[in-house]
Amino acid sequence: MSSTGILPGLTSSDADQFEAALKKFVDSRELPLYKMMAYHLGWVDQNGEPEPVVMQDRSHGHLVLSIANALGADIEAAMPYAVAVEMLYNFLLVHEDVQNANTERNNRPTIWWSWGPAQAINAGDGIHAMARISIFEQRNASGPASDPRNISLALESLDTATLEVCEGEYLDISYQERAAVSVEEIVSVARKHGALFGLSAKLGGIAATANDDVLDALYKFGTAVGAAQNLNIDLKALWPDEGAERNEVQRGRLQSKKKSIATAHAIENGTPTTRRRLGEIFMKRVLDPSDLDEVTGILAETDSKSFAEGRVKELIGEATEALNSMKIPAPQKESLIESSKLIAG
């Protein structure tokens, strides 16, 4: 999804309202630690001075609002949940930058590159804590949004999704040292990473006081969309958009030997020579650009890109099936289906 994109069903006013709520939540605290967070989120420079906003992907928060809107809830009632999931997403980004030694994100130096890994980990953990605090902001709401049962369910859902992503990250890292990883193992990990979008969809439903069946369907919808996006992120790292070069984050994922569904397919379906050569490459400590070129060449021989794109489409179909199981007016349903495609990329 484009970093400046707004999901169908939301207006530019909705997106502006969300950005203002997110900024107010961070700016309400004075310690320079929060200036580091504001820098990461794109509002200030490294000295904490305001600068033209660096627009970033806000699709997690936007999906909360889109779901709430589709189910007839007031967007204002969903705002603390949207802020919470966006903060959670950025906590994971800060830690990913440290883990993969990314020196840049969104064309700016990362927190760890600017202030060191210790402060980056501290800032990331602080962002995670603030995600949980945002959920408790619902105590100040009126009506069903302030129901302690809904707040408790939202908090449990956030922590469960965080654990799912951590499990996925653990498996990702463990797979780096394995030459052969199966397609289904890669898809399983993608679903764990996709739990963050599952959380986004579910929080939108909680804001709309949806019943348990609808919440389960929303979680399945969001998780399938998130899994599709996760697979696509790896594909775009292997095959950047035409005329574009790999950015720092993409290089970091590949050079750390991050396995993709395309490489898993090639290992499962390639010739013995192909499998042996991929194994030799992935047993290196760190991959260099020539290794990456050789990998993409091998993947072209096994038609692994087309296979991977097919699995992404299957996940979008799975997300659509989850929506079809709910009683949502046709225009809103079509809007969410279009959103799923935009998020998946």
Side-chain angles (χ1 to χ4, degrees), residues 266-335:
I267 289 170
E268 287 186 355
N269 295 275
T271 65
T273 301
T274 295
R275 292 196 293 271
R276 183 174 63 253
R277 183 55 189 141
L278 284 173
E280 291 170 350
I281 292 172
F282 285 122
M283 289 308 292
K284 292 186 176 183
R285 186 170 180 273
V286 178
L287 305 189
D288 59 38
S290 63
D291 292 323
L292 302 182
D293 291 340
E294 185 171 359
V295 168
T296 54
I298 292 171
L299 298 182
E301 294 173 7
T302 54
D303 201 24
S304 296
K305 183 180 181 183
S306 295
F307 171 82
E309 290 171 341
R311 289 303 294 264
V312 169
K313 289 179 181 178
E314 288 177 14
L315 286 165
I316 296 300
E318 186 180 312
T320 301
E321 286 180 17
L323 285 180
N324 287 335
S325 70
M326 296 182 284
K327 294 181 180 179
I328 299 177
Q332 284 84 348
K333 184 182 296 183
E334 289 302 316
S335 177

Side-chain angles (χ1 to χ4, degrees), residues 6 23 50 91 125 146 168 182-183 187 214 253 265 290 306 331 337:
I6 300 174
K23 190 172 186 298
F91 145 70
D125 289 346
S146 63
S182 73
V183 166
V187 173
V214 171
R253 290 172 76 88
H265 175 264
S290 63
S306 295
I337 291 172

Side-chain angles (χ1 to χ4, degrees), residues 104-216:
E104 286 188 1
R105 183 177 289 277
N106 296 314
N107 298 314
R108 313 167 89 207
T110 53
I111 288 184
W112 86 264
W113 189 245
S114 300
W115 288 279
Q119 287 289 29
I121 292 171
N122 191 41
D125 289 346
I127 293 172
H128 177 232
M130 290 179 71
R132 301 179 94 253
I133 289 171
S134 183
I135 286 179
F136 286 109
E137 293 283 304
Q138 292 288 37
R139 292 180 302 172
N140 302 320
S142 58
S146 63
D147 187 332
R149 291 171 297 180
N150 287 333
I151 294 172
S152 176
L153 177 59
L155 188 60
E156 179 189 13
S157 300
L158 184 142
D159 286 344
T160 300
T162 303
L163 277 175
E164 281 282 304
V165 175
C166 288
E167 289 174 4
E169 200 60 36
Y170 166 81
L171 292 171
D172 255 345
I173 294 169
S174 67
Y175 292 165
Q176 289 174 4
E177 303 309 319
R178 279 174 49 183
V181 181
S182 73
V183 166
E184 293 312 315
E185 284 175 321
I186 294 295
V187 173
S188 176
V189 169
R191 288 185 186 279
K192 289 184 178 295
H193 285 295
L196 199 55
F197 275 110
L199 170 67
S200 298
K202 186 175 181 179
L203 288 178
I206 293 173
T209 65
N211 63 42
D212 288 345
D213 289 341
V214 171
L215 293 181
D216 288 345

